[in-house]
Amino acid sequence: MSDTAVPRPPSRVRRPEWAGRNYVLLTAAAVVTNLGTHGALIASAFAVLQAGGDGGDVGLVAAARTLPLVLFLLVGGAVADRVPRHRVMVAANGLNFVSQGVFALLVLTGEPQLWQMMLLTALCGTGQAFFSPAAEGMLMSSVSGDQVSRAFALFRMAMHGAGIGGAALGGAMIAAFGPGWVLAVDAAAFAVAGSLRAFLDVGHIREREAGGGLLADLREGWQEFVGRPWLWSIVAQFAIVVALVGAAESVYGPLVARDELGGAGPWGLSLAMFGVGTLVGALLMMRWKPRRMLLAGTLCVFPIALPSAALAVPLDVVGLSAAMFVSGVAIEVFGVSWMTTLHQEIPEEKLSRVSAYDWFGSTAVLPLSTALAGPAESAFGRQEALWGSAVLIVVVTALVLLVPDVRNLTRRTTRIAVTQTAGSAGVTEPARALPGAPAPAGGGPPAWPADPSDERPAG
């Protein structure tokens, strides 16, 4: 036998350079949790109804999830910048596993009480409040190179695809087996995802220096947030956009479908077309890298007004579905552009705190807007309320374009540390390369559909 080494044949399947170990683990975990969570959101509502509750009880359980999400986001962001982020993510997944598992057990073995379902759902929302800023920080601390937009787009495409599949699978499982088993599957999904995230490599993230405490961390994150006009102006814009879209999606859309379109079927088809649009938008952003990414993303917020306008007319199911599809494509262009901008402009050690302020600002008004949708319809009329929503989305987006940094901020291939300034995108320090491979994008502020758990990474 010859001593000459036989060369190995080249591998037929090679991952792209930006699809490193962390990226693969985080994407796989996000797919698993989105498959479970989107079905569980439907199952929790049917569990309430199965236990004898009414529509008001369903709303209380949904509010129980949203309230702790808003209350604990800022604390979650500060914690994620203080301790290793993957530990925060795993702990949050563990809390979600326990809460959903107990919820499933109660539904499967008897009739759960309303207060029990609210408490368990609140625990799930608390887990998401700590998970989400840590997930976005973990993502951006692991991404480098000129392919970050492609990595973000692929992650979002996988997440949306899993969400669509999870909702469809969850609906079928509820019809066949009941909501309890769907909740049990969601609990198992959190356990699997937490196990995957435990293997994340955080060796490339430098150890945090001891700070002045939690309040000092929150204050530093706030200064980082308000010191960038492009950042706080877009978050303020989306506080309004998400609130308006949320009211239309959760209140007006089903009413228009019932009264004008023939029932829930056409509305479900329209929401499905939004999901298809997000997948197409993600595919587009796999190839398109606009130089003025924030300008391109903000221009794509204008089409988000189309569904409200289509409901105001109202258009038939074909027209409404087309409007939802276009808005889905548009929000993905914005989402990828937004995540690329945050990755480029925010120092790594402050990513989770800034992400928490982004989340908080984008979702804080949503519960109020859905509560006021009914009174607004009574005071002004449904059609007028929908037209007002569409016009206001256009107006606030046009106002954001007056901010110079929104129009002028350009793409770079390396992320920079940015010092605090009072009126610009910041004074740059020397560029520092980021080792490691991409991790998942949080996705930017949510739009159609406006459920806070949808367009962000699921816990």
Side-chain angles (χ1 to χ4, degrees):
M1 179 181 290
S2 172
D3 293 335
T4 304
V6 178
R8 293 182 179 181
S11 175
R12 294 184 179 181
V13 180
R14 294 186 60 187
R15 292 196 307 248
E17 292 183 3
W18 45 265
R21 179 172 178 271
N22 277 2
Y23 182 86
V24 172
L25 285 172
L26 285 161
T27 302
V31 167
V32 170
T33 48
N34 272 268
L35 280 171
T37 298
H38 282 72
L41 289 172
I42 304 171
S44 62
F46 277 91
V48 175
L49 297 174
Q50 180 177 284
D54 56 16
D57 294 330
V58 173
L60 287 174
V61 173
R65 179 187 179 94
T66 305
L67 184 60
L69 178 65
V70 173
L71 290 178
F72 293 113
L73 269 173
L74 299 183
V75 176
V79 169
D81 275 342
R82 180 173 286 267
V83 302
R85 293 183 181 120
H86 73 306
R87 294 182 183 176
V88 178
M89 297 166 70
V90 172
N93 285 168
L95 177 61
N96 291 148
F97 163 68
V98 172
S99 62
Q100 292 295 82
V102 174
F103 196 171
L105 186 63
L106 289 174
V107 174
L108 290 171
T109 58
E111 294 185 1
Q113 301 298 309
L114 179 62
W115 70 267
Q116 294 172 325
M117 294 185 285
M118 290 179 65
L119 175 61
L120 293 169
T121 304
L123 289 176
C124 199
T126 302
Q128 176 126 9
F130 282 85
F131 172 87
S132 300
E136 292 196 8
M138 189 69 201
L139 144 76
M140 289 181 274
S141 68
S142 303
V143 182
S144 63
D146 61 353
Q147 298 296 323
V148 295
S149 292
R150 178 171 293 185
F152 296 164
L154 180 60
F155 176 86
R156 289 172 64 91
M157 183 168 61
M159 188 174 66
H160 290 313
I164 295 170
L169 181 61
M173 286 186 65
I174 292 169
F177 308 111
W181 288 107
V182 178
L183 293 168
V185 168
D186 188 37
F190 280 120
V192 172
S195 300
L196 290 173
R197 288 161 178 147
F199 290 99
L200 292 170
D201 179 12
V202 294
H204 64 283
I205 304 177
R206 66 183 182 184
E207 187 175 348
R208 269 69 174 176
E209 298 178 359
L214 189 63
L215 290 178
D217 284 352
L218 289 172
R219 184 166 56 251
E220 187 176 4
W222 173 252
Q223 292 170 347
E224 196 75 26
F225 177 77
V226 298
R228 291 174 168 79
W230 62 267
L231 178 58
W232 62 255
S233 63
I234 288 181
V235 171
Q237 169 203 14
F238 264 82
I240 298 172
V241 170
V242 170
L244 296 171
V245 168
E249 186 267 336
S250 62
V251 179
Y252 299 137
L255 292 175
V256 172
R258 181 195 65 186
D259 297 340
E260 306 288 346
L261 303 178
W267 180 238
L269 176 62
S270 300
L271 291 176
M273 289 305 297
F274 169 84
V276 174
T278 62
L279 296 178
V280 173
L283 282 172
L284 171 64
M285 294 306 288
M286 288 278 292
R287 304 187 65 86
W288 184 39
K289 295 191 293 184
R291 181 171 176 269
R292 296 189 181 186
M293 51 195 173
L294 204 54
L295 174 62
T298 302
L299 289 174
C300 284
V301 179
F302 286 108
I304 298 175
L306 289 176
S308 292
L311 289 170
V313 173
L315 296 180
D316 60 16
V317 64
V318 175
L320 178 59
S321 297
M324 295 289 274
F325 173 82
V326 171
S327 68
V329 175
I331 197 58
E332 279 306 291
V333 175
F334 171 82
V336 174
S337 299
W338 178 248
M339 293 308 302
T340 304
T341 304
L342 290 178
H343 163 264
Q344 175 177 291
E345 297 295 322
I346 305 299
E348 186 276 329
E349 66 274 10
K350 300 175 184 177
L351 283 170
S352 290
R353 279 168 287 174
V354 171
S355 171
Y357 280 107
D358 171 19
W359 266 77
F360 181 82
S362 300
T363 60
V365 188
L366 181 59
L368 179 63
S369 70
T370 53
L372 293 178
E377 181 182 14
S378 300
F380 307 108
R382 185 191 305 166
Q383 189 175 45
E384 288 76 11
L386 284 165
W387 277 122
S389 295
V391 170
L392 194 51
I393 290 172
V394 171
V395 169
V396 297
T397 303
L399 290 175
V400 165
L401 289 173
L402 298 178
V403 179
D405 290 336
V406 172
R407 302 192 308 271
N408 300 327
L409 194 147
T410 57
R411 181 186 301 269
R412 290 183 292 271
T413 57
T414 56
R415 204 174 89 228
I416 59 171
V418 185
T419 59
Q420 183 71 26
T421 66
S424 70
V427 178
T428 62
E429 297 175 358
R432 49 191 178 95
L434 295 175
W448 292 89
D451 185 276
S453 64
D454 188 21
E455 294 300 313
R456 302 283 193 158

